[in-house]
Amino acid sequence: MGKAQHQDDTAKETEYSLVRVKGTWRCRGGKKINKGTADCVSAAKVYESTTERGMTWTVVSPIVFTYKVTETRGLLDPSNDTLLLGHVTDPQQLEDIKKANKPIRRFVVVDQEVFKIYGPKLTEYFEANGVIFKVMALPTTEENKSMEMALKILHEVNNFSLDRRTEPIIAIGGGVCLDIVGLAASLYRRRTPYVRVPTTLLSYIDASVGAKTGVNFANCKNKLGAYIPPAAAFLDLSFIQSVPRRQISNGLAEMLKMALMKHRGLFELLEKHGCMLLDTKFQAESSLYGHSGVQVASQATRTAIVTMLEELAPNLWEDDLNRLVDFGHLLSPALEMKVLPSLLHGEAVNIDMSYMVYVSHELGLLTEEEKQRIIRCMVGLELPVWHEACTLELIQKSLQDRLKHSGGLVRMPLPVGLGQAEIFNNTPYEVLHRAFVHWCDELNISSDGSCES
Ligand SMILES: NC(=O)c1ccc[n+]([C@@H]2O[C@H](COP(=O)([O-])OP(=O)(O)OC[C@H]3O[C@@H](n4cnc5c(N)ncnc54)[C@H](O)[C@@H]3O)[C@@H](O)[C@H]2O)c1
Ligand SMILES: [Zn+2]
């Protein structure tokens, strides 16, 4: 280290608070701030230091994100005002909006397939509430998850002359639609609030809960994106009734991920009622199935959401690389890209999790019986547990890529028993290899999709 650099490191630093007096912000040194004369003291600080080369000002400005994830029933029932006002957190603002008696304006982007089913109800909802609205129904597929699609939306948003202070953009659809619209909103006028309405199981329990937005770029999934949460996510389970069965299994994979990582009760619920959830598309009262009157569907989705929120809220920008939610996401991105579009995201995640269960077993973290229970549960959820494209080469390459991007450590969340997990670093190759051999021996399934296990 050179002398000048050393001087930089040891430079004396002065801390300033930011205080607003009569509408003007000023730096104030010293620990004691006269709160009597200030009309506001910011949580931000400025640190000033002097070196031979000049001054450095270091700004530390905490940014707080507040967003709601709200369950509702009958979201498109004209008497339910959640879609229009559920994002407003300040009671005074809510009162002002209601008193103003001005027509509400909303820009809505909806997945084209969802629009085919729910379009008339949506239009009716806005008309009944006297809303001035523009609905853009778009083919928001994984292949179209691009910057071009985001720009197409932005042109229309601009034509609508949206007021970013009071008119959140509404996204209604699966994870693809929610991700594209979220990114578009975070770009428009630097940050326009948006609202998420998930209509697939996967987006209901996963994409709606966190802060991530994005589009695919340079042949990589979600390469462009931002960590900007929505103002609110409104969850109505009734949308799931029209989702194809395979897409429900797809969502169940992410739910099973949370169960395996941190909630034994959720695992047992999926083990016992997985098939019923698939048959009824999350619409049935479980009392029909002998469960104590509580709706299994809402218990399962609530647990998945809470466990996910617990992991995401303290790490909204994913600065901490030790993430249990990464389970199933170490090998699956490469697998997904390799066989696109034959495997859905959740299916690729499940194949990754299935292999990792064998790694856990090989390390003595799961008993044979626990391993078998997990695999049986996956099969019960109609998820693939093995794939010929998930080769040892793909596994090694994925882990090497991870090594490059994660500071020289491959952090592997692994189940240690049912509903508990720990992160293991740099698992030895011999373990990965032995696990792979057993995984293939036991789960190389017959062509009709049935599993020997
Ligand atoms: N932002 C995040 O934190 C996050 C988390 C997980 C996944 N994702 C992203 O989400 C995407 C996957 O989401 P997805 O599984 O919802 O896929 P998707 O958005 O492609 O939807 C799946 C299919 O279901 C159809 N569909 C949607 N709702 C329907 C309904 N109610 N009835 C009938 N059909 C319906 C869609 O038209 C589509 O064909 C991926 O791009 C992934 O990267 C994001
Ligand atoms: Zn995922």
Side-chain angles (χ1 to χ4, degrees):
M1 189 190 288
K3 186 165 176 263
Q5 180 68 45
H6 177 74
Q7 278 175 347
D8 275 354
D9 290 343
T10 55
K12 200 167 159 3
E13 209 170 48
T14 313
E15 175 185 313
Y16 290 102
S17 296
L18 287 140
V19 179
R20 193 171 63 187
V21 181
K22 290 186 187 155
T24 304
W25 287 103
R26 306 229 181 256
C27 281
R28 287 278 180 267
K31 291 280 171 245
K32 279 200 185 134
I33 302 294
N34 185 350
K35 292 198 172 138
T37 56
D39 59 53
C40 188
V41 180
S42 168
K45 300 262 189 229
V46 173
Y47 297 86
E48 210 173 74
S49 58
T50 315
T51 67
E52 277 174 351
R53 279 184 245 122
M55 308 261 305
T56 296
W57 294 269
T58 304
V59 177
V60 178
S61 183
I63 291 179
V64 174
F65 281 118
T66 305
Y67 66 102
K68 288 187 184 186
V69 179
T70 302
E71 286 180 342
T72 184
R73 282 167 191 232
L75 185 74
L76 298 182
D77 178 335
S79 65
N80 183 343
D81 66 3
T82 306
L83 185 60
L84 298 172
L85 299 173
H87 64 285
V88 181
T89 41
D90 177 7
Q92 184 59 49
Q93 197 191 347
L94 192 61
E95 208 175 298
D96 291 348
I97 296 172
K98 285 183 174 167
K99 255 201 264 159
N101 220 8
K102 265 195 349 204
I104 292 176
R105 299 174 82 253
R106 287 293 180 270
F107 188 91
V108 188
V109 181
V110 51
D111 176 292
Q112 201 170 274
E113 298 308 310
V114 174
F115 189 73
K116 280 184 195 155
I117 307 168
Y118 300 97
K121 265 192 108 176
L122 185 66
T123 312
E124 213 177 289
Y125 176 85
F126 287 126
E127 283 170 354
N129 281 289
V131 178
I132 298 170
F133 65 99
K134 156 96 188 157
V135 175
M136 236 183 140
L138 292 172
T140 46
T141 60
E142 195 64 50
E143 292 76 27
N144 291 337
K145 195 181 178 188
S146 63
M147 204 60 203
E148 287 72 33
M149 183 67 91
L151 288 173
K152 193 170 162 177
I153 294 168
L154 285 169
H155 278 295
E156 291 299 322
V157 166
N158 200 38
N159 290 341
F160 189 72
S161 307
L162 191 112
D163 175 352
R164 69 167 286 255
R165 302 215 160 265
T166 56
E167 298 170 359
I169 300 173
I170 299 175
I172 306 177
V176 172
C177 178
L178 306 188
D179 273 5
I180 306 176
V181 176
L183 178 62
S186 68
L187 291 173
Y188 190 66
R189 307 198 66 179
R190 300 200 171 91
R191 188 164 63 91
T192 294
Y194 68 101
V195 162
R196 282 175 176 158
V197 178
T199 60
T200 60
L201 180 62
L202 188 132
S203 58
Y204 189 102
I205 57 148
D206 195 337
S208 282
V209 180
K212 289 194 278 186
T213 70
V215 294
N216 302 334
F217 179 70
N219 211 26
C220 284
K221 264 190 72 93
N222 305 322
K223 194 86 181 250
L224 300 180
Y227 291 104
I228 304 275
F234 299 131
L235 314 181
D236 182 347
L237 259 187
S238 70
F239 282 113
I240 313 300
Q241 64 189 289
S242 52
V243 173
R245 190 175 176 98
R246 184 177 168 198
Q247 293 284 355
I248 296 187
S249 280
N250 184 44
L252 282 166
E254 296 283 5
M255 197 180 265
L256 179 63
K257 172 185 84 175
M258 297 318 293
L260 292 176
M261 288 292 96
K262 53 185 293 189
H263 204 290
R264 188 182 175 112
L266 181 57
F267 173 76
E268 286 169 349
L269 191 142
L270 291 175
E271 197 177 33
K272 193 164 169 206
H273 300 289
C275 187
M276 180 276 281
L277 289 171
L278 269 169
D279 287 345
T280 58
K281 302 199 173 188
F282 282 73
Q283 307 299 309
E285 288 290 336
S286 65
S287 48
L288 294 174
Y289 295 80
H291 197 269
S292 59
V294 187
Q295 231 180 326
V296 172
S298 86
Q299 201 184 332
T301 49
R302 275 183 194 170
T303 311
I305 288 167
V306 172
T307 48
M308 190 79 88
L309 275 175
E310 283 172 345
E311 295 299 311
L312 299 183
N315 194 17
L316 217 53
W317 284 8
E318 300 189 319
D319 293 324
D320 181 0
L321 298 172
N322 294 313
R323 296 185 296 253
L324 294 185
V325 290
D326 280 352
F327 184 53
H329 293 69
L330 213 55
L331 320 174
S332 62
L335 178 61
E336 225 179 320
M337 284 322 249
K338 187 169 167 188
V339 300
L340 206 75
S342 73
L343 280 178
L344 300 176
H345 175 71
E347 293 170 342
V349 166
N350 200 70
I351 291 161
D352 178 326
M353 296 197 294
S354 163
Y355 168 69
M356 290 299 169
V357 163
Y358 274 75
V359 174
S360 265
H361 179 248
E362 206 57 49
L363 287 167
L365 309 171
L366 283 177
T367 64
E368 177 63 25
E369 195 218 335
E370 287 169 332
K371 184 190 87 183
Q372 299 235 5
R373 270 180 76 180
I374 297 171
I375 301 297
R376 262 200 307 275
C377 180
M378 290 171 166
V379 174
L381 300 177
E382 300 179 10
L383 286 160
V385 289
W386 185 88
H387 198 285
E388 60 192 358
C390 190
T391 58
L392 198 54
E393 290 70 47
L394 181 137
I395 293 170
Q396 275 181 288
K397 173 136 194 343
S398 297
L399 298 181
Q400 274 159 11
D401 284 352
R402 195 47 80 101
L403 197 67
K404 254 192 269 165
H405 296 118
S406 309
L409 273 187
V410 179
R411 297 167 170 87
M412 213 180 248
L414 289 174
V416 296
L418 296 171
Q420 287 181 61
E422 278 171 37
I423 299 205
F424 294 83
N425 295 329
N426 298 339
T427 306
Y429 175 76
E430 304 76 63
V431 172
L432 299 175
H433 184 258
R434 278 202 309 273
F436 183 77
V437 172
H438 291 147
W439 185 57
C440 292
D441 281 353
E442 292 179 23
L443 298 185
N444 188 347
I445 48 177
S446 54
S447 53
D448 66 359
S450 63
C451 180
E452 254 79 71
S453 170

